Amino acid sequence: MSDIAERVKKIVVDHLGVEESKVVEAASFIDDLGADSLDTVELVMAFEEEFGVEIPDDAAEKILSVKDAIDFIKANGPAA
Amino acid sequence: MRRVVVTGLGLATPLGVGHSLNWERLIAGKSGIRAITGFDVSDLASKVAGQVPRGSGEGDFNPDSFVSPKDQRKMDDFIVYAVAAAHEAIKDSGWVPQTDEEREMTGVMIGSGIGGLPGIADGAITLHEKGARRLSPFFIPASLINLASGHVSIQHGFKGPNHAVVTACSTGAHAIGDAARLIMWEDADVMVAGGTEGAVSRLGVAGFAAMRALSTSFNDTPERASRPYDKDRDGFVIGEGAGVVVLEELEHAKRRGATIYAEVVGYGLSGDAYHISAPAEDGNGGFRAMRGALKRAGLSPDDIDYINAHGTSTPLGDEIELGAVKRLFGSAMDNLAMSSTKSAIGHLLGAAGAVEAVYSIKSINHGIVPPTLNLENPSESCQGVNLVPKVAQERKVRAALSNSFGFGGTNASLVFKAFA
Protein backbone atom coordinates (compact mmCIF):
# COMPACT_ATOMS: atom_id res chain seq x y z
CA MET A 1 0.00 0.00 0.00
CA SER A 2 2.80 2.44 0.82
CA ASP A 3 4.06 1.78 -2.66
CA ILE A 4 1.05 3.66 -4.03
CA ALA A 5 1.78 6.64 -1.79
CA GLU A 6 5.42 6.72 -2.88
CA ARG A 7 4.52 6.54 -6.55
CA VAL A 8 1.92 9.30 -6.20
CA LYS A 9 4.42 11.53 -4.41
CA LYS A 10 7.05 10.95 -7.05
CA ILE A 11 4.63 11.99 -9.81
CA VAL A 12 3.75 15.14 -7.89
CA VAL A 13 7.41 16.02 -7.38
CA ASP A 14 8.22 15.47 -11.06
CA HIS A 15 5.25 17.32 -12.48
CA LEU A 16 5.12 20.29 -10.15
CA GLY A 17 8.87 20.65 -9.73
CA VAL A 18 8.55 20.95 -5.95
CA GLU A 19 10.77 19.76 -3.11
CA GLU A 20 10.09 16.20 -2.04
CA SER A 21 9.82 17.28 1.58
CA LYS A 22 6.83 19.50 0.77
CA VAL A 23 4.87 16.66 -0.77
CA VAL A 24 3.21 15.41 2.41
CA GLU A 25 -0.16 13.68 2.36
CA ALA A 26 -2.04 16.72 3.60
CA ALA A 27 -0.55 18.99 0.94
CA SER A 28 -3.05 20.65 -1.39
CA PHE A 29 -1.86 20.78 -5.01
CA ILE A 30 -3.04 24.36 -5.52
CA ASP A 31 -2.72 25.94 -2.08
CA ASP A 32 0.49 24.29 -0.89
CA LEU A 33 2.35 23.11 -4.00
CA GLY A 34 1.81 26.02 -6.39
CA ALA A 35 -0.19 24.15 -9.02
CA ASP A 36 -2.73 25.86 -11.25
CA SER A 37 -5.91 24.32 -12.64
CA LEU A 38 -4.10 23.04 -15.75
CA ASP A 39 -1.38 21.45 -13.63
CA THR A 40 -4.02 19.49 -11.71
CA VAL A 41 -5.53 18.18 -14.96
CA GLU A 42 -2.07 17.01 -16.04
CA LEU A 43 -1.45 15.42 -12.64
CA VAL A 44 -4.64 13.40 -12.89
CA MET A 45 -3.58 12.22 -16.36
CA ALA A 46 -0.25 11.16 -14.94
CA PHE A 47 -1.97 9.16 -12.17
CA GLU A 48 -4.14 7.47 -14.78
CA GLU A 49 -1.09 6.45 -16.81
CA GLU A 50 0.94 5.29 -13.82
CA PHE A 51 -1.80 3.20 -12.22
CA GLY A 52 -3.78 2.17 -15.30
CA VAL A 53 -7.00 3.58 -13.94
CA GLU A 54 -9.54 5.90 -15.45
CA ILE A 55 -10.41 8.89 -13.30
CA PRO A 56 -13.69 10.41 -14.50
CA ASP A 57 -13.94 14.22 -14.51
CA ASP A 58 -16.36 14.36 -11.57
CA ALA A 59 -13.96 12.28 -9.46
CA ALA A 60 -10.93 14.25 -10.69
CA GLU A 61 -12.51 17.46 -9.45
CA LYS A 62 -12.41 16.06 -5.91
CA ILE A 63 -8.73 15.10 -6.03
CA LEU A 64 -7.29 18.23 -4.47
CA SER A 65 -4.51 16.90 -2.27
CA VAL A 66 -1.87 14.18 -2.22
CA LYS A 67 -4.05 12.21 0.20
CA ASP A 68 -7.09 12.52 -2.09
CA ALA A 69 -5.07 10.99 -4.92
CA ILE A 70 -3.72 8.14 -2.80
CA ASP A 71 -7.18 7.35 -1.41
CA PHE A 72 -8.78 7.32 -4.86
CA ILE A 73 -6.17 4.99 -6.29
CA LYS A 74 -6.33 2.66 -3.29
CA ALA A 75 -10.10 2.45 -3.68
CA ASN A 76 -10.28 2.25 -7.47
CA GLY A 77 -6.88 1.13 -8.70
CA PRO A 78 -5.89 -2.35 -9.71
CA ALA A 79 -5.02 -4.66 -6.81
CA ALA A 80 -1.73 -3.31 -5.48
CA MET B 1 5.79 61.66 -34.02
CA ARG B 2 7.79 60.40 -31.06
CA ARG B 3 11.21 59.01 -31.97
CA VAL B 4 12.06 55.37 -31.25
CA VAL B 5 15.49 53.95 -30.48
CA VAL B 6 16.89 50.48 -29.84
CA THR B 7 18.29 50.02 -26.33
CA GLY B 8 18.56 46.24 -25.95
CA LEU B 9 19.51 43.28 -28.13
CA GLY B 10 19.01 39.54 -27.66
CA LEU B 11 19.72 36.56 -29.89
CA ALA B 12 19.46 32.78 -29.81
CA THR B 13 20.45 31.50 -33.25
CA PRO B 14 22.32 28.65 -34.93
CA LEU B 15 25.49 30.66 -34.21
CA GLY B 16 24.72 30.52 -30.48
CA VAL B 17 23.17 32.50 -27.68
CA GLY B 18 24.07 36.16 -27.15
CA HIS B 19 24.31 39.12 -29.54
CA SER B 20 28.02 39.77 -29.03
CA LEU B 21 28.97 36.15 -29.57
CA ASN B 22 26.72 35.96 -32.63
CA TRP B 23 28.40 38.99 -34.13
CA GLU B 24 31.92 37.66 -33.50
CA ARG B 25 31.09 34.38 -35.18
CA LEU B 26 29.13 36.02 -38.01
CA ILE B 27 31.89 38.38 -39.09
CA ALA B 28 34.48 35.62 -38.70
CA GLY B 29 32.61 33.77 -41.44
CA LYS B 30 31.42 30.94 -39.21
CA SER B 31 28.43 28.87 -40.27
CA GLY B 32 25.76 27.51 -37.92
CA ILE B 33 24.39 25.06 -40.46
CA ARG B 34 24.85 21.37 -39.74
CA ALA B 35 23.39 17.97 -40.47
CA ILE B 36 20.02 17.79 -38.70
CA THR B 37 20.06 16.14 -35.28
CA GLY B 38 17.18 15.17 -33.02
CA PHE B 39 14.86 13.43 -35.46
CA ASP B 40 14.86 10.97 -38.33
CA VAL B 41 15.70 12.54 -41.69
CA SER B 42 16.13 9.35 -43.72
CA ASP B 43 13.08 10.04 -45.89
CA LEU B 44 13.47 13.83 -46.01
CA ALA B 45 14.91 15.46 -49.13
CA SER B 46 16.72 18.11 -47.12
CA LYS B 47 18.86 16.88 -44.23
CA VAL B 48 20.55 20.11 -43.14
CA ALA B 49 19.41 22.95 -40.89
CA GLY B 50 20.46 25.82 -38.72
CA GLN B 51 19.67 24.43 -35.27
CA VAL B 52 20.36 26.32 -32.08
CA PRO B 53 23.40 24.55 -30.55
CA ARG B 54 22.49 22.85 -27.27
CA GLY B 55 24.87 21.97 -24.49
CA SER B 56 27.02 23.70 -21.95
CA GLY B 57 29.83 25.11 -24.11
CA GLU B 58 30.33 28.81 -24.86
CA GLY B 59 27.19 30.19 -26.48
CA ASP B 60 25.36 26.89 -26.26
CA PHE B 61 21.69 27.00 -25.43
CA ASN B 62 20.53 25.45 -22.18
CA PRO B 63 16.78 25.87 -21.71
CA ASP B 64 17.14 25.33 -17.95
CA SER B 65 18.89 28.70 -17.77
CA PHE B 66 15.70 30.45 -18.81
CA VAL B 67 12.75 28.23 -17.91
CA SER B 68 12.35 25.65 -15.14
CA PRO B 69 12.06 22.06 -16.40
CA LYS B 70 8.53 21.99 -15.01
CA ASP B 71 7.51 24.97 -17.14
CA GLN B 72 9.32 23.75 -20.27
CA ARG B 73 6.52 21.20 -20.67
CA LYS B 74 4.15 24.12 -21.13
CA MET B 75 6.15 25.68 -23.98
CA ASP B 76 7.11 24.53 -27.41
CA ASP B 77 10.66 25.38 -28.49
CA PHE B 78 9.70 28.64 -30.19
CA ILE B 79 8.50 30.04 -26.85
CA VAL B 80 11.67 28.98 -25.00
CA TYR B 81 13.84 30.66 -27.66
CA ALA B 82 11.77 33.84 -27.36
CA VAL B 83 12.03 33.81 -23.57
CA ALA B 84 15.82 33.40 -23.85
CA ALA B 85 16.33 36.18 -26.42
CA ALA B 86 13.97 38.49 -24.53
CA HIS B 87 15.84 37.78 -21.29
CA GLU B 88 19.10 38.93 -22.89
CA ALA B 89 17.58 41.99 -24.59
CA ILE B 90 15.79 43.20 -21.46
CA LYS B 91 18.87 42.71 -19.32
CA ASP B 92 20.97 44.42 -21.98
CA SER B 93 18.64 47.44 -21.93
CA GLY B 94 18.77 47.74 -18.15
CA TRP B 95 15.06 48.57 -18.15
CA VAL B 96 13.29 47.46 -14.98
CA PRO B 97 9.97 49.28 -14.55
CA GLN B 98 9.40 50.28 -10.93
CA THR B 99 5.89 51.66 -10.89
CA ASP B 100 2.52 50.42 -12.13
CA GLU B 101 2.49 53.22 -14.69
CA GLU B 102 5.90 52.17 -16.01
CA ARG B 103 4.82 48.54 -16.20
CA GLU B 104 1.65 49.54 -18.06
CA MET B 105 3.70 51.50 -20.59
CA THR B 106 6.00 48.53 -21.29
CA GLY B 107 4.69 45.99 -23.80
CA VAL B 108 5.67 42.91 -25.77
CA MET B 109 5.26 42.07 -29.46
CA ILE B 110 7.08 38.87 -30.38
CA GLY B 111 5.71 37.00 -33.38
CA SER B 112 6.30 33.66 -35.00
CA GLY B 113 5.66 32.35 -38.47
CA ILE B 114 4.47 28.88 -37.54
CA GLY B 115 4.41 28.52 -33.76
CA GLY B 116 4.44 25.18 -32.00
CA LEU B 117 4.61 22.84 -34.95
CA PRO B 118 6.55 20.06 -33.17
CA GLY B 119 4.02 20.02 -30.34
CA ILE B 120 1.10 20.05 -32.76
CA ALA B 121 2.60 17.06 -34.58
CA ASP B 122 3.07 15.18 -31.30
CA GLY B 123 -0.40 16.14 -30.10
CA ALA B 124 -2.00 14.81 -33.26
CA ILE B 125 -0.20 11.49 -32.79
CA THR B 126 -1.31 11.27 -29.15
CA LEU B 127 -4.90 11.99 -30.15
CA HIS B 128 -4.81 9.39 -32.89
CA GLU B 129 -3.06 6.65 -30.94
CA LYS B 130 -4.24 7.16 -27.36
CA GLY B 131 -7.40 9.21 -27.61
CA ALA B 132 -8.61 12.60 -26.48
CA ARG B 133 -8.22 11.96 -22.76
CA ARG B 134 -4.46 11.64 -23.10
CA LEU B 135 -3.95 15.08 -24.64
CA SER B 136 -2.04 17.41 -22.30
CA PRO B 137 -3.89 20.44 -20.94
CA PHE B 138 -0.80 22.39 -22.01
CA PHE B 139 -1.09 21.34 -25.65
CA ILE B 140 -2.86 24.53 -26.74
CA PRO B 141 -0.95 27.12 -24.67
CA ALA B 142 2.36 25.47 -25.66
CA SER B 143 1.58 25.91 -29.35
CA LEU B 144 -0.16 29.27 -29.58
CA ILE B 145 1.95 31.88 -31.31
CA ASN B 146 1.09 34.78 -29.00
CA LEU B 147 2.15 32.78 -25.95
CA ALA B 148 5.75 33.82 -26.71
CA SER B 149 4.71 37.39 -25.93
CA GLY B 150 2.46 36.09 -23.16
CA HIS B 151 5.26 34.33 -21.29
CA VAL B 152 7.64 37.29 -21.62
CA SER B 153 4.93 39.60 -20.34
CA ILE B 154 4.20 37.34 -17.37
CA GLN B 155 7.87 36.72 -16.49
CA HIS B 156 8.77 40.39 -16.47
CA GLY B 157 5.48 41.92 -15.33
CA PHE B 158 5.06 44.04 -18.46
CA LYS B 159 1.43 45.13 -18.57
CA GLY B 160 1.40 47.25 -21.73
CA PRO B 161 0.39 46.03 -25.21
CA ASN B 162 0.62 42.23 -25.41
CA HIS B 163 0.60 41.50 -29.11
CA ALA B 164 1.94 39.06 -31.68
CA VAL B 165 2.59 39.21 -35.40
CA VAL B 166 2.07 36.30 -37.82
CA THR B 167 3.29 37.14 -41.31
CA ALA B 168 5.39 34.11 -42.24
CA CYS B 169 8.98 35.13 -42.99
CA SER B 170 8.23 38.84 -42.58
CA THR B 171 7.10 38.35 -38.97
CA GLY B 172 10.22 39.60 -37.18
CA ALA B 173 10.45 42.75 -39.28
CA HIS B 174 6.74 43.51 -38.97
CA ALA B 175 6.88 43.00 -35.20
CA ILE B 176 9.70 45.52 -34.80
CA GLY B 177 8.09 48.01 -37.18
CA ASP B 178 4.64 47.74 -35.63
CA ALA B 179 5.99 47.86 -32.07
CA ALA B 180 7.90 51.04 -32.94
CA ARG B 181 4.63 52.54 -34.13
CA LEU B 182 2.92 51.65 -30.85
CA ILE B 183 5.59 53.74 -29.15
CA MET B 184 5.18 56.58 -31.66
CA TRP B 185 1.44 56.62 -30.91
CA GLU B 186 2.06 56.57 -27.13
CA ASP B 187 0.47 53.19 -26.55
CA ALA B 188 3.76 52.32 -24.87
CA ASP B 189 7.10 53.88 -23.94
CA VAL B 190 9.04 50.63 -24.18
CA MET B 191 8.34 47.57 -26.35
CA VAL B 192 10.08 44.22 -26.32
CA ALA B 193 9.78 43.19 -29.96
CA GLY B 194 10.99 40.49 -32.29
CA GLY B 195 10.40 37.10 -33.82
CA THR B 196 10.92 33.48 -32.89
CA GLU B 197 10.73 30.12 -34.60
CA GLY B 198 11.16 26.49 -33.58
CA ALA B 199 9.86 24.50 -36.53
CA VAL B 200 12.93 22.42 -37.37
CA SER B 201 11.06 19.14 -36.94
CA ARG B 202 10.03 16.25 -39.13
CA LEU B 203 6.73 17.90 -39.99
CA GLY B 204 8.31 21.28 -40.65
CA VAL B 205 11.10 20.01 -42.87
CA ALA B 206 8.75 17.62 -44.70
CA GLY B 207 6.29 20.46 -45.29
CA PHE B 208 8.80 22.86 -46.80
CA ALA B 209 10.40 19.98 -48.72
CA ALA B 210 6.99 19.20 -50.22
CA MET B 211 6.98 22.73 -51.63
CA ARG B 212 10.42 22.03 -53.14
CA ALA B 213 11.59 25.11 -51.26
CA LEU B 214 14.58 23.59 -49.46
CA SER B 215 18.18 22.98 -50.49
CA THR B 216 18.74 19.30 -51.26
CA SER B 217 22.12 19.16 -53.04
CA PHE B 218 24.36 19.81 -50.06
CA ASN B 219 23.24 17.22 -47.53
CA ASP B 220 26.82 15.98 -47.21
CA THR B 221 28.32 19.47 -46.90
CA PRO B 222 25.86 21.37 -44.69
CA GLU B 223 27.95 24.53 -44.36
CA ARG B 224 27.81 24.99 -48.13
CA ALA B 225 24.02 24.57 -48.44
CA SER B 226 22.92 28.16 -47.87
CA ARG B 227 24.50 30.14 -50.73
CA PRO B 228 22.43 33.20 -51.62
CA TYR B 229 23.18 34.75 -55.03
CA ASP B 230 25.51 31.88 -55.95
CA LYS B 231 24.83 30.07 -59.23
CA ASP B 232 24.60 26.71 -57.43
CA ARG B 233 21.99 27.76 -54.88
CA ASP B 234 19.07 25.35 -54.83
CA GLY B 235 16.69 26.40 -52.07
CA PHE B 236 16.70 27.71 -48.52
CA VAL B 237 18.04 25.99 -45.42
CA ILE B 238 15.54 25.91 -42.58
CA GLY B 239 16.68 27.49 -39.32
CA GLU B 240 15.40 28.16 -35.80
CA GLY B 241 15.95 30.62 -33.00
CA ALA B 242 14.84 34.07 -31.91
CA GLY B 243 15.80 37.71 -32.17
CA VAL B 244 14.44 40.30 -29.77
CA VAL B 245 15.09 44.02 -29.38
CA VAL B 246 14.06 46.52 -26.75
CA LEU B 247 12.55 49.58 -28.43
CA GLU B 248 12.21 52.75 -26.45
CA GLU B 249 10.93 56.28 -26.86
CA LEU B 250 13.97 58.51 -27.34
CA GLU B 251 13.45 60.88 -24.39
CA HIS B 252 12.62 57.94 -22.10
CA ALA B 253 15.91 56.29 -23.07
CA LYS B 254 17.89 59.50 -22.62
CA ARG B 255 16.39 60.23 -19.20
CA ARG B 256 17.59 56.95 -17.79
CA GLY B 257 20.95 57.10 -19.58
CA ALA B 258 20.35 53.97 -21.65
CA THR B 259 22.82 52.77 -24.26
CA ILE B 260 21.31 53.64 -27.65
CA TYR B 261 22.31 51.20 -30.39
CA ALA B 262 20.42 52.84 -33.25
CA GLU B 263 17.26 54.71 -34.17
CA VAL B 264 14.36 53.01 -35.94
CA VAL B 265 13.79 55.57 -38.68
CA GLY B 266 12.05 53.70 -41.47
CA TYR B 267 9.44 51.01 -41.90
CA GLY B 268 7.63 50.07 -45.09
CA LEU B 269 5.02 47.39 -45.75
CA SER B 270 3.39 46.03 -48.87
CA GLY B 271 1.54 43.09 -50.38
CA ASP B 272 2.24 41.35 -53.67
CA ALA B 273 -1.37 40.28 -54.40
CA TYR B 274 0.15 37.64 -56.62
CA HIS B 275 0.79 34.10 -55.29
CA ILE B 276 0.69 32.10 -52.05
CA SER B 277 4.43 31.39 -52.02
CA ALA B 278 6.18 32.78 -55.12
CA PRO B 279 7.25 36.41 -55.15
CA ALA B 280 5.81 38.56 -57.94
CA GLU B 281 8.28 38.40 -60.81
CA ASP B 282 8.67 42.14 -61.14
CA GLY B 283 9.64 42.43 -57.46
CA ASN B 284 7.20 45.27 -57.09
CA GLY B 285 6.13 44.27 -53.57
CA GLY B 286 9.66 44.34 -52.20
CA PHE B 287 10.36 47.52 -54.16
CA ARG B 288 7.43 49.32 -52.56
CA ALA B 289 8.29 48.10 -49.04
CA MET B 290 11.84 49.45 -49.41
CA ARG B 291 10.64 52.69 -51.00
CA GLY B 292 8.11 53.16 -48.19
CA ALA B 293 10.77 52.59 -45.54
CA LEU B 294 13.12 55.13 -47.12
CA LYS B 295 10.32 57.68 -47.43
CA ARG B 296 9.35 57.26 -43.78
CA ALA B 297 13.01 57.60 -42.83
CA GLY B 298 13.37 60.75 -44.91
CA LEU B 299 16.47 59.20 -46.47
CA SER B 300 17.56 58.86 -50.07
CA PRO B 301 19.19 55.75 -51.52
CA ASP B 302 22.60 57.43 -51.14
CA ASP B 303 22.17 57.48 -47.37
CA ILE B 304 22.04 53.68 -47.05
CA ASP B 305 25.42 51.97 -46.67
CA TYR B 306 24.27 48.42 -46.01
CA ILE B 307 21.34 46.26 -47.03
CA ASN B 308 20.71 43.04 -45.13
CA ALA B 309 18.94 41.16 -47.90
CA HIS B 310 16.08 38.75 -47.49
CA GLY B 311 18.28 36.55 -49.75
CA THR B 312 17.05 33.07 -48.85
CA SER B 313 19.17 31.18 -51.39
CA THR B 314 16.24 30.20 -53.61
CA PRO B 315 16.85 30.44 -57.36
CA LEU B 316 13.89 32.76 -58.01
CA GLY B 317 13.66 34.86 -54.84
CA ASP B 318 17.25 36.11 -54.74
CA GLU B 319 17.10 37.26 -58.34
CA ILE B 320 13.84 39.14 -57.89
CA GLU B 321 15.00 40.90 -54.72
CA LEU B 322 18.24 41.96 -56.40
CA GLY B 323 16.28 43.36 -59.33
CA ALA B 324 14.05 45.38 -57.01
CA VAL B 325 17.03 46.73 -55.05
CA LYS B 326 18.78 47.77 -58.27
CA ARG B 327 15.72 49.61 -59.55
CA LEU B 328 15.24 51.51 -56.30
CA PHE B 329 18.86 52.29 -55.52
CA GLY B 330 20.10 52.98 -59.07
CA SER B 331 23.52 54.58 -59.08
CA ALA B 332 23.64 54.41 -55.26
CA MET B 333 24.37 50.68 -55.75
CA ASP B 334 27.99 51.61 -56.46
CA ASN B 335 28.57 52.65 -52.88
CA LEU B 336 26.57 50.21 -50.83
CA ALA B 337 27.12 46.70 -49.58
CA MET B 338 24.39 44.09 -49.55
CA SER B 339 24.71 40.66 -47.97
CA SER B 340 22.57 37.77 -46.84
CA THR B 341 23.35 36.54 -43.36
CA LYS B 342 21.08 33.58 -44.06
CA SER B 343 24.21 32.14 -45.64
CA ALA B 344 25.51 31.60 -42.10
CA ILE B 345 22.40 30.70 -40.10
CA GLY B 346 19.83 29.57 -42.67
CA HIS B 347 16.32 30.93 -42.89
CA LEU B 348 14.85 31.47 -39.43
CA LEU B 349 11.37 32.07 -40.93
CA GLY B 350 9.38 34.17 -38.45
CA ALA B 351 12.55 35.02 -36.51
CA ALA B 352 14.58 35.98 -39.58
CA GLY B 353 13.56 39.64 -39.77
CA ALA B 354 14.29 40.24 -36.09
CA VAL B 355 17.65 38.43 -36.05
CA GLU B 356 18.68 40.25 -39.21
CA ALA B 357 17.56 43.57 -37.71
CA VAL B 358 20.00 42.91 -34.85
CA TYR B 359 22.78 42.07 -37.32
CA SER B 360 22.00 45.29 -39.26
CA ILE B 361 22.18 47.36 -36.07
CA LYS B 362 25.49 45.73 -35.15
CA SER B 363 26.89 46.58 -38.59
CA ILE B 364 26.15 50.24 -37.78
CA ASN B 365 27.73 49.98 -34.32
CA HIS B 366 30.88 48.17 -35.42
CA GLY B 367 31.47 49.61 -38.91
CA ILE B 368 31.66 46.11 -40.36
CA VAL B 369 29.30 44.44 -42.82
CA PRO B 370 28.84 40.66 -42.48
CA PRO B 371 29.63 38.36 -45.40
CA THR B 372 27.53 36.31 -47.78
CA LEU B 373 29.09 32.89 -47.26
CA ASN B 374 29.52 30.42 -50.13
CA LEU B 375 29.23 33.13 -52.77
CA GLU B 376 31.74 31.51 -55.10
CA ASN B 377 30.16 32.04 -58.50
CA PRO B 378 27.70 34.90 -58.36
CA SER B 379 24.75 34.88 -60.77
CA GLU B 380 25.20 37.13 -63.78
CA SER B 381 22.75 39.68 -62.43
CA CYS B 382 25.05 40.23 -59.44
CA GLN B 383 27.68 41.95 -61.55
CA GLY B 384 28.77 45.27 -60.10
CA VAL B 385 26.94 44.65 -56.80
CA ASN B 386 29.02 44.36 -53.63
CA LEU B 387 27.46 41.26 -52.07
CA VAL B 388 30.31 40.97 -49.55
CA PRO B 389 31.39 37.52 -50.77
CA LYS B 390 32.72 35.18 -48.08
CA VAL B 391 34.62 37.75 -46.01
CA ALA B 392 33.29 40.60 -43.85
CA GLN B 393 34.22 44.14 -44.89
CA GLU B 394 35.04 47.15 -42.78
CA ARG B 395 32.98 50.12 -43.81
CA LYS B 396 31.18 52.97 -42.13
CA VAL B 397 27.46 52.24 -41.97
CA ARG B 398 25.40 55.40 -41.42
CA ALA B 399 22.14 53.62 -42.05
CA ALA B 400 21.14 50.03 -42.81
CA LEU B 401 18.04 48.61 -44.50
CA SER B 402 16.79 45.11 -43.71
CA ASN B 403 14.38 43.25 -46.01
CA SER B 404 11.92 40.49 -45.13
CA PHE B 405 9.47 38.88 -47.52
CA GLY B 406 6.98 36.15 -46.66
CA PHE B 407 4.57 33.60 -48.08
CA GLY B 408 1.25 35.18 -48.90
CA GLY B 409 3.08 38.02 -50.61
CA THR B 410 3.83 39.99 -47.45
CA ASN B 411 6.81 42.36 -47.44
CA ALA B 412 8.47 44.51 -44.79
CA SER B 413 11.56 46.71 -44.80
CA LEU B 414 13.15 48.36 -41.79
CA VAL B 415 15.70 51.18 -41.75
CA PHE B 416 18.00 51.73 -38.78
CA LYS B 417 20.20 54.78 -38.47
CA ALA B 418 23.24 55.49 -36.35
CA PHE B 419 22.24 57.56 -33.36
CA ALA B 420 24.42 60.62 -33.01
Side-chain angles (χ1 to χ4, degrees):
Chain A
M1 296 299 256
S2 66
D3 179 44
I4 288 179
E6 290 310 311
R7 285 156 71 192
V8 165
K9 285 180 186 174
K10 184 173 186 312
I11 287 170
V12 174
V13 168
D14 289 349
H15 280 259
L16 300 183
V18 289
E19 301 264 336
E20 211 176 324
S21 60
K22 287 188 177 166
V23 186
V24 294
E25 294 208 0
S28 153
F29 298 134
I30 290 176
D31 296 336
D32 300 319
L33 302 177
D36 61 24
S37 62
L38 297 180
D39 288 319
T40 61
V41 175
E42 199 191 35
L43 266 182
V44 167
M45 286 174 60
F47 297 144
E48 288 183 328
E49 293 233 329
E50 173 73 16
F51 297 101
V53 293
E54 186 168 322
I55 306 176
D57 284 352
D58 55 344
E61 280 167 20
K62 293 179 190 124
I63 299 178
L64 304 172
S65 68
V66 177
K67 183 174 186 304
D68 293 340
I70 294 168
D71 289 348
F72 181 91
I73 292 155
K74 279 183 183 170
N76 300 279
Chain B
M1 276 298 167
R2 307 206 301 172
R3 293 169 68 182
V4 179
V5 292
V6 180
T7 57
L9 307 173
L11 290 178
T13 81
L15 284 177
V17 179
H19 69 82
S20 298
L21 181 91
N22 256 267
W23 183 247
E24 267 171 44
R25 290 178 175 174
L26 184 71
I27 62 169
K30 298 270 195 325
S31 171
I33 295 165
R34 306 273 182 274
I36 289 174
T37 59
F39 57 91
D40 178 26
V41 295
S42 55
D43 59 347
L44 300 174
S46 184
K47 304 178 197 298
V48 298
Q51 293 178 286
V52 174
R54 300 203 176 216
S56 51
E58 193 197 4
D60 284 352
F61 179 71
N62 178 1
D64 297 354
S65 307
F66 306 100
V67 180
S68 72
K70 173 203 164 209
D71 286 333
Q72 285 171 38
R73 290 204 314 279
K74 305 175 183 177
M75 305 178 188
D76 218 313
D77 282 349
F78 81 103
I79 297 178
V80 186
Y81 294 147
V83 165
H87 177 87
E88 184 192 7
I90 293 163
K91 200 172 161 202
D92 192 42
S93 76
W95 174 237
V96 184
Q98 303 294 337
T99 65
D100 279 343
E101 196 192 343
E102 286 175 347
R103 281 186 279 274
E104 288 164 14
M105 287 301 281
T106 303
V108 187
M109 182 161 354
I110 299 172
S112 179
I114 304 186
L117 198 63
I120 291 171
D122 292 346
I125 291 169
T126 299
L127 183 67
H128 181 72
E129 292 184 348
K130 298 182 177 173
R133 286 183 57 82
R134 298 260 67 84
L135 204 56
S136 163
F138 300 111
F139 168 66
I140 295 288
S143 324
L144 287 186
I145 283 180
N146 74 298
L147 264 282
S149 288
H151 278 286
V152 171
S153 155
I154 292 164
Q155 271 195 351
H156 297 274
F158 298 158
K159 297 184 174 178
N162 181 348
H163 204 331
V165 173
V166 182
T167 52
C169 306
S170 299
T171 297
H174 275 136
I176 292 172
D178 290 347
R181 289 192 174 175
L182 291 185
I183 295 173
M184 290 174 186
W185 280 87
E186 297 192 54
D187 294 300
D189 290 329
V190 180
M191 287 294 296
V192 178
T196 186
E197 205 74 80
V200 180
S201 60
R202 261 181 77 69
L203 187 59
V205 175
F208 284 109
M211 300 179 77
R212 307 294 187 267
L214 299 176
S215 170
T216 57
S217 302
F218 299 89
N219 287 334
D220 297 328
T221 51
E223 295 194 357
R224 299 181 62 220
S226 187
R227 43 196 317 116
Y229 307 106
D230 188 81
K231 277 180 181 162
D232 293 331
R233 68 185 186 274
D234 71 332
F236 79 80
V237 173
I238 191 170
E240 63 178 5
V244 172
V245 297
V246 173
L247 302 176
E248 192 164 347
E249 192 270 325
L250 173 61
E251 297 307 320
H252 189 278
K254 278 185 177 170
R255 270 198 304 277
R256 67 183 190 90
T259 299
I260 294 174
Y261 290 107
E263 180 171 359
V264 187
V265 289
Y267 175 41
L269 320 75
S270 73
D272 284 352
Y274 175 70
H275 186 264
I276 51 171
S277 61
E281 280 169 33
D282 60 3
N284 183 255
F287 179 89
R288 285 182 290 114
M290 287 187 275
R291 188 181 62 188
L294 283 182
K295 184 183 171 195
R296 179 67 61 183
L299 297 178
S300 66
D302 289 330
D303 298 319
I304 302 292
D305 292 308
Y306 173 59
I307 296 175
N308 187 297
H310 184 57
T312 59
S313 190
T314 58
L316 199 59
D318 290 4
E319 210 71 48
I320 290 171
E321 181 182 16
L322 190 58
V325 169
K326 281 179 174 175
R327 278 204 305 289
L328 182 64
F329 284 80
S331 61
M333 290 301 287
D334 298 342
N335 296 310
L336 67 76
M338 166 164 150
S339 66
S340 170
T341 46
K342 289 186 178 77
S343 59
I345 59 173
H347 189 356
L348 272 59
L349 310 175
V355 170
E356 290 158 18
V358 173
Y359 290 160
S360 300
I361 292 164
K362 299 211 54 107
S363 77
I364 293 171
N365 295 158
H366 293 268
I368 299 173
V369 293
T372 303
L373 301 185
N374 300 311
L375 185 49
E376 285 153 5
N377 298 299
S379 293
E380 276 146 37
S381 56
C382 299
Q383 227 173 15
V385 182
N386 177 7
L387 291 162
V388 199
K390 298 198 271 190
V391 182
Q393 295 171 6
E394 282 192 27
R395 58 186 298 143
K396 185 177 166 63
V397 180
R398 294 163 298 161
L401 179 145
S402 182
N403 277 337
S404 295
F405 311 138
F407 287 171
T410 173
N411 312 294
S413 298
L414 291 167
V415 178
F416 299 96
K417 193 177 161 195
F419 183 77

